[in-house]
Amino acid sequence: MILQVKDIHTFYGTSHILFGISLDIDEGETVCVLGRNGAGKTTTIRSIMGLTRPRTGSIKFKGKEILGQSAYTISRAGIGFVPEDRRVFPSLTVREQLEVAHKEGFGNWDLDKVFGLFPHLKNLQRHKGNQISGGEQQMLTIGRTLMGNPELLLLDEPSEGLAPLVVEALAEQIRKLMEEDITILLSEMGLGFAVELSNQAFVIDKGENKWSGTPDKLLENEDLKSKYLAL
Amino acid sequence: MTGSEFLMQFMSGLTTAMIYFLIAAGLTLILGVLKIMNFAQGGIYMLGAYMSYTFIKLFGGTNYGFWLTLAIAPILVTAFFCVVEVFLIRRFYEKPAIYILLMTYGVLLVTYDLARMSWGWIIKTAPMPPMFQRPFEIFGLFFPLYNVFLIFMGFFIFFFIWFIINRTSWGKIMRAAADDREMTAALGINVPWVFTAVFGLGAWIAAIGGALVAPMAGLSADMGVEAGIIAFIVVVIAGLGSLPGALLASFICGEVQAFGILVLPELAIAFMYLVMVIVLIVRPWGLFGKPVIIK
Ligand SMILES: Nc1ncnc2c1ncn2[C@@H]1O[C@H](COP(=O)(O)OP(=O)(O)OP(=O)(O)O)[C@@H](O)[C@H]1O
Ligand SMILES: [Mg+2]
């Protein structure tokens, strides 16, 4: 098991958001965390990344406890984070933000390989982060995280706000990543592209686990879908 | 006014401008990346000046002693303030801005007392290095060579910082951390140490400013507070966090003062305030600034 999240309770200030979320992810798997608006997907991912530290529980990455460590240490340990709001650096050029994120790690990602996956970025190298479109920003933010050569990639709602054609291209690119043995966690509100790519799904609602299983089982379960997912 | 009078006044304004720039540049850098107002900046400048005074004296007022001082004294002062950043200032970055203001203001007061204790009340001036004890001729006019050197150093330091920020991998990291510190951390960069480095670079610029002023001005503990006010005015005119803006604003302030002195000698310093007020009315975010939010 590469990641083992066990019974985490996370707060924003005094408001209690996650009520004992647990996730088990095996090496090389692609899993998705599904849930409606405000279900706690982002908070779960931020908890794993050490950006919002859970108050109790345990998060083990490759057997080692990472709960309580700083985001920078967790990133160096091999977890990559792609935020839902992309967070490209407005004052760095596309090339610069790829370079700044580069570190040694699990894979062999570098500028050339990122441009291989996202050829379009190559033409935008000199553009500043705030001079590119939303879809381009999504490619950049994924490419940027890949430059850090993570072993586990957390992708928070990567399809959000993208045109259907762009989402299709993105799905293709994520399939290519899956061939690289990288472990991927995707989040999404409904049954879209994440569930198609995954071999394991976790459904959460109001900060609690509701269900987990294979995507096929989930697709059959009308009750579950209507109760917890945005359709 | 004759052409030569104009030139003399312009050069003297440029000298003042460079001193202002060196005082304000570090503040600008720290504000731009760390998003904090460092009230201690004037104190750093003042300690840089005093420390250099001591070293220049120690080396017997020689030329090589002066160069050695420029290399050593600002670094020592910088090291001291890096320690201050790590143990005192760092823990308040994520707190409301008032904590940092009080903290850095406290540090300023401490530098003041430190200077009073170590160097006393009497105004000190470091000896001018022998190599600079001659005038420099431009268009038949004679101008102190040291002032020309100071102007050169001002531009040199401007390009040096500009180069670091825009052309080195350190600069990339600094800009990323300035844009979004949380995302930068999530990419595996140790942001607290980036902040210490930026704070140190900002301190070094102020300290070298002090070092350059040591042989040409009377040093007193009060110069820290005065420098702090000037830096603040320059930064407000420039636009918070803009380095080219700080250079231009320093130039405006220096020249306005140099020519203002001809018109109303008693009020020369007031012209700077006037410029600031006008800028604040016409362009509240400063000449080069974008609207910045300080928590
Ligand atoms: N910074 C914050 N401060 C306080 N409460 C927050 C904060 N961020 C999120 N919340 C609350 O935490 C809950 C979970 O939010 P979270 O962002 O994790 O949901 P999500 O599943 O990612 O939703 P979405 O699909 O809209 O992105 C929501 O009720 C939200 O209102
Ligand atoms: Mg979310």
Side-chain angles (χ1 to χ4, degrees):
Chain A
M1 213 173 298
I2 189 166
L3 187 79
Q4 188 172 32
V5 177
K6 222 172 172 174
D7 196 27
I8 54 168
H9 288 255
T10 305
F11 296 69
Y12 286 116
T14 52
S15 43
H16 197 167
I17 306 295
L18 298 187
F19 299 84
I21 290 282
S22 301
L23 308 168
D24 288 336
I25 305 174
D26 281 328
E27 270 102 348
E29 260 195 310
T30 299
V31 307
C32 59
V33 173
L34 306 176
R36 275 192 295 237
N37 254 324
K41 305 180 292 295
T42 299
T43 310
T44 301
I45 289 175
R46 289 179 58 87
S47 298
I48 297 169
M49 202 58 217
L51 296 170
T52 307
R53 289 183 197 167
R55 235 177 249 178
T56 57
S58 149
I59 303 176
K60 288 207 171 92
F61 178 60
K62 296 199 285 181
K64 270 172 60 188
E65 185 62 58
I66 55 166
L67 194 150
Q69 296 191 347
S70 60
Y72 124 85
T73 317
I74 292 172
S75 163
R76 297 241 144 210
I79 303 185
F81 166 57
V82 178
E84 65 185 326
D85 44 358
R86 290 163 202 152
R87 316 260 296 255
V88 301
F89 302 119
S91 50
L92 271 66
T93 64
V94 166
R95 189 191 173 97
E96 280 174 337
Q97 31 203 320
L98 292 173
E99 286 169 345
V100 85
H102 187 252
K103 58 181 165 63
E104 300 301 319
F106 179 71
N108 54 353
W109 289 94
D110 57 13
L111 270 182
D112 284 337
K113 198 169 169 193
V114 168
F115 290 147
L117 185 65
F118 303 113
H120 187 55
L121 283 183
K122 199 168 179 171
N123 309 320
L124 300 169
Q125 281 185 69
R126 285 167 190 282
H127 286 63
K128 286 274 167 75
N130 54 4
Q131 296 168 338
I132 59 177
S133 75
E136 291 160 354
Q137 288 189 7
Q138 187 59 266
M139 291 178 209
L140 173 58
T141 184
I142 295 174
R144 183 175 68 180
T145 300
L146 288 173
M147 286 293 278
N149 285 298
E151 200 165 342
L152 169 65
L153 183 62
L154 311 173
L155 287 161
D156 196 3
E157 292 198 57
S159 61
E160 196 190 358
L162 299 182
L165 268 178
V166 183
V167 174
E168 238 167 75
L170 192 62
E172 215 34 64
Q173 281 140 353
I174 291 175
R175 275 204 186 87
K176 280 189 198 151
L177 285 182
M178 290 162 64
E179 287 163 18
E180 304 253 340
D181 297 330
I182 187 167
T183 308
I184 301 175
L185 183 150
L186 296 154
S187 83
E188 199 164 48
M189 291 203 279
L191 297 169
F193 112 131
V195 80
E196 261 173 47
L197 294 166
S198 305
N199 32 43
Q200 168 91 343
F202 296 89
V203 176
I204 66 171
D205 194 51
K206 300 202 174 88
E208 290 177 13
N209 286 75
K210 292 297 174 193
W211 186 89
S212 74
T214 59
D216 304 339
K217 291 258 165 58
L218 174 61
L219 292 171
E220 290 166 7
N221 195 331
E222 293 303 328
D223 186 38
L224 195 66
K225 285 194 289 190
S226 63
K227 218 159 150 192
Y228 298 123
L229 301 180
L231 299 172
Chain B
M1 193 176 2
T2 66
S4 58
E5 271 171 3
F6 179 86
L7 188 64
M8 284 309 267
Q9 224 48 44
F10 178 81
M11 288 298 281
S12 120
L14 201 55
T15 311
T16 312
M18 283 313 172
I19 296 171
Y20 288 178
F21 173 71
L22 292 172
I23 295 170
L27 188 69
T28 300
L29 189 68
I30 292 170
L31 190 63
V33 179
L34 279 62
K35 315 279 192 267
I36 64 162
M37 197 62 180
N38 179 24
F39 275 135
Q41 200 69 10
I44 303 175
Y45 165 78
M46 184 258 297
L47 286 186
Y50 268 125
M51 196 65 113
S52 302
Y53 162 83
T54 298
F55 273 95
I56 292 173
K57 285 279 220 190
L58 192 72
F59 295 132
T62 54
N63 286 333
Y64 86 89
F66 174 72
W67 295 115
L68 221 54
T69 300
L70 274 194
I72 300 171
I75 295 278
L76 285 181
V77 173
T78 301
F80 173 72
F81 281 97
C82 284
V83 173
V84 170
E85 194 273 344
V86 170
F87 287 102
L88 289 179
I89 299 175
R90 174 183 279 191
R91 62 191 73 216
F92 297 107
Y93 289 143
E94 303 302 330
K95 298 253 163 66
I98 186 75
Y99 285 84
I100 290 279
L101 295 183
L102 290 175
M103 193 70 231
T104 57
Y105 185 66
V107 173
L108 175 67
L109 296 182
V110 171
T111 63
Y112 184 87
D113 283 337
L114 214 60
R116 279 277 153 90
M117 266 161 45
S118 320
W119 289 281
W121 293 77
I122 299 160
I123 289 182
K124 302 268 199 283
T125 305
M128 180 62 72
M131 62 179 293
F132 289 116
Q133 289 175 3
R134 59 195 182 84
F136 178 80
E137 195 187 332
I138 11 169
F139 304 121
L141 294 170
F142 292 99
F143 199 70
L145 180 61
Y146 190 77
N147 292 29
V148 178
F149 168 67
L150 191 98
I151 293 168
F152 167 79
M153 284 301 286
F155 280 114
F156 174 77
I157 287 168
F158 171 76
F159 284 113
F160 176 67
I161 314 166
W162 183 90
F163 184 83
I164 288 185
I165 295 175
N166 293 297
R167 289 286 179 275
T168 67
S169 51
W170 260 102
K172 256 179 276 178
I173 293 173
M174 280 161 50
R175 279 179 288 141
D179 276 350
D180 188 337
R181 62 187 69 170
E182 188 185 77
M183 194 59 226
T184 305
L187 292 174
I189 292 163
N190 191 338
V191 175
W193 285 112
V194 176
F195 280 13
T196 304
V198 171
F199 192 89
L201 182 59
W204 178 80
I205 302 164
I208 202 158
L212 288 167
V213 156
M216 62 184 295
L219 312 186
S220 72
D222 298 314
M223 70 190 279
V225 179
E226 285 160 26
I229 295 170
I230 289 168
F232 185 75
I233 296 175
V234 167
V235 164
V236 168
I237 295 175
L240 305 180
S242 163
L243 202 63
L247 187 64
L248 180 68
S250 302
F251 175 77
I252 293 171
C253 288
E255 294 300 344
V256 159
Q257 213 178 315
F259 287 98
I261 244 174
L262 298 178
V263 193
L264 276 171
E266 316 82 46
L267 284 179
I269 193 93
F271 286 108
M272 269 173 70
Y273 290 95
L274 197 64
V275 174
M276 179 173 80
V277 168
I278 294 172
V279 168
L280 279 179
I281 292 170
V282 181
R283 245 181 106 84
W285 50 90
L287 297 176
F288 278 55
K290 312 168 246 209
V292 182
I293 296 144
I294 305 178
K295 281 184 296 149

